[in-house]
Amino acid sequence: MMQAVAIPPFERFYEANRDAVYGRLVRRLGRQRAEDAFQETFLRALRGYPELRNGRHLRAWVFTIATRIAIDETRRRRPTGDLPELAVEDGLPPHAELGPLTDDLPPKERAAVVLRYGFDLPYDEIAAALGSSEDAARQAASSGVRRLRERSKQS
């Protein structure tokens, strides 16, 4: 059985994670949109913080919140018309490239694939973010990748 880790005061949690979360949001959304997403991330974290029972995977938890906010923000601002394909000169970070590819996956599979292959998180942190076991996180990522491969063969 895994021993619970004490949850630090929110201020210490914020100090330890703010720069990394902000950096990821800037890379995903750009500096202007990242400001609002950053504030929303830590507002949601503050609301949920009193309900946490274990401090073992707080970083994965806050990155999951930030990722979901970034995805929602991207979806809200996605143009509705057909746009031509444009070459990307500087390349997107892996998690941004995975976003459109994984939109049709079931939520747990999508989260597992993005956290594993976009953010390179280990399965124990993915499990904490999903509220599941490590085996279930591995299975969700594997199932998601399998669906993506099947879809690419059909295209």
Side-chain angles (χ1 to χ4, degrees):
M1 182 166 170
M2 202 182 301
Q3 187 176 6
V5 173
I7 298 170
F10 187 81
E11 294 78 17
R12 195 168 343 138
F13 161 77
Y14 173 77
E15 290 289 326
N17 294 286
R18 69 178 180 194
D19 293 338
V21 169
Y22 183 72
R24 290 256 172 100
L25 288 169
V26 167
R27 287 189 298 276
R28 176 88 191 241
L29 300 171
R31 193 161 303 280
Q32 283 184 327
R33 290 172 42 204
E35 295 286 336
D36 290 337
F38 176 79
Q39 290 177 13
E40 181 64 23
T41 296
F42 280 98
L43 183 61
R44 287 185 191 180
L46 180 60
R47 285 187 201 131
Y49 209 72
E51 304 302 315
L52 294 176
R53 300 290 174 243
N54 187 340
R56 183 174 302 278
H57 303 288
L58 292 175
R59 186 176 177 93
W61 175 69
V62 76
F63 275 118
T64 300
I65 295 170
T67 298
R68 289 178 180 160
I69 290 170
I71 289 167
D72 290 346
E73 177 67 17
T74 301
R75 282 183 181 155
R76 252 194 311 278
R77 295 184 181 259
R78 185 177 291 158
T80 56
D82 290 336
L83 297 175
E85 287 289 322
L86 300 175
V88 177
E89 294 296 321
D90 58 349
L92 293 172
H95 61 274
E97 291 176 357
L98 283 172
L101 294 173
T102 59
D103 279 344
D104 295 331
L105 291 177
K108 279 202 176 196
E109 288 179 13
R110 182 175 200 276
V113 168
V114 170
L115 291 172
R116 178 69 188 119
Y117 300 103
F119 287 104
D120 198 29
L121 291 180
Y123 287 108
D124 63 327
E125 291 185 24
I126 296 168
L130 296 176
S132 67
S133 69
E134 232 178 288
D135 287 339
R138 238 181 256 287
Q139 180 60 41
S142 176
S143 295
V145 168
R146 191 170 28 260
R147 284 182 206 264
L148 292 173
R149 283 186 184 141
E150 288 169 6
R151 196 177 312 142
S152 71
K153 287 178 186 177
Q154 295 171 359
S155 299

